[in-house]
Amino acid sequence: MILKAQSAESRIEQLCVEHGLKMTGQRRVIARVLSEADDHPDVEELYRRALTLDSRISVATVYRTVRLLEEKGILERRDFGGGRARYEATENGRHHYHLIDVDNGKVIEFEDPEHEALMKKVANRLGFEFVSMRLELFGRKKSAAKPGVKTSSRARQKGNAA
Amino acid sequence: MILKAQSAESRIEQLCVEHGLKMTGQRRVIARVLSEADDHPDVEELYRRALTLDSRISVATVYRTVRLLEEKGILERRDFGGGRARYEATENGRHHYHLIDVDNGKVIEFEDPEHEALMKKVANRLGFEFVSMRLELFGRKKSAAKPGVKTSSRARQKGNAA
DNA sequence: ATATCTGCAAACTCTTTGCAGGGTC
DNA sequence: GACCCTGCAAAGAGTTTGCAGATAT
């Protein structure tokens, strides 16, 4: 048996293996990038980060990989406005949600433990088995009127912060 | 003053006027289509419905109009997977949510009155004023294994039912 | 050895936009 | 009458895909 002298298996890589996916060099890199991300990168950003680890990766592969991982339930796709899909690792049991600042598109995470239980109950009531959920709250920063920040209409969200 | 002998102002049209929008024939038609919709049409579907009322409308105008109405807070954009944006009229105060069947993309609406209050509290706790929210629940129909319905992996959602 | 994966570039789909003409307030 | 809106068609952005070669198991 040949031991690969590589850095430890990332969490996502492990999940890939458990799901019986063929682990190519590219997938390993993408898995690592995903494991290390604590924000909500879009494909282009994942690609950029992956390139810093290995230059032999194409965007097409990143697209194919996130799609595959989403189908396997390893990743979840998010839409925070702005046209691109964002991704984050599925966190079984310990869900978190997103509050999006409508004025600047910034995303704040928050938890609400009772919530998932509540949603499971709702799904059940409707005759469904809970698979996953998505909760996005849109809000506007209270008071603290900072100069230079327009509070008028909703900011068009094209390429906002993670 | 010239009285226009047209059918009554639709609910959305009324909102447009209140928001000071110039009411063109096209906008009136689109407003009416939106007012009468009780599902979540995408732009193409809105366009199709609008055409049955007036053939002098282009898709570009539908796009421009939904975008405008969304910015005004009259419409809300939804993303149920499948690449296209879906729209529905904003319902102030009485929110409803969506349960999406992961196997066939069908959307079921449900209410949960406590919920909005809960979310307003969360927004407040984080220092934000509640603007709107989005809640999507993904589930799989329990038992009742219908023949012909694959329960294996998640269905790719391209062009599903409203 | 074989089925799967990747890069590349072309193709697709959804959405936005410049421009000239038309309509609303 | 000023300004905004619309249609058309072209352009943009994000994502998917066919193919030939490379790779994992």
Side-chain angles (χ1 to χ4, degrees), chain A residues 91-97 112-122 130-133, chain B residues 137:
Chain A
E91 298 170 61
N92 297 308
R94 203 171 239 16
H95 280 260
H96 66 263
Y97 312 108
D112 193 7
E114 325 163 46
H115 205 270
E116 187 172 340
L118 190 62
M119 287 305 106
K120 284 189 173 155
K121 225 183 289 180
V122 171
F130 178 94
V131 170
S132 75
M133 63 169 297
Chain B
L137 202 44

Side-chain angles (χ1 to χ4, degrees), chain A residues 95-128:
Chain A
H95 280 260
H96 66 263
Y97 312 108
H98 304 98
L99 166 58
I100 295 134
D101 185 324
V102 294
D103 291 318
N104 61 25
K106 286 232 173 78
V107 178
I108 294 166
E109 297 191 352
F110 67 92
E111 298 198 20
D112 193 7
E114 325 163 46
H115 205 270
E116 187 172 340
L118 190 62
M119 287 305 106
K120 284 189 173 155
K121 225 183 289 180
V122 171
N124 255 286
R125 196 201 309 152
L126 296 169
F128 282 76

Side-chain angles (χ1 to χ4, degrees), chain A residues 42-53 62 84:
Chain A
D42 56 30
V43 168
E44 219 187 306
E45 178 61 25
L46 288 172
Y47 175 54
R48 217 173 297 136
R49 295 181 194 177
L51 278 185
T52 69
L53 299 181
V62 179
R84 327 129 128 64

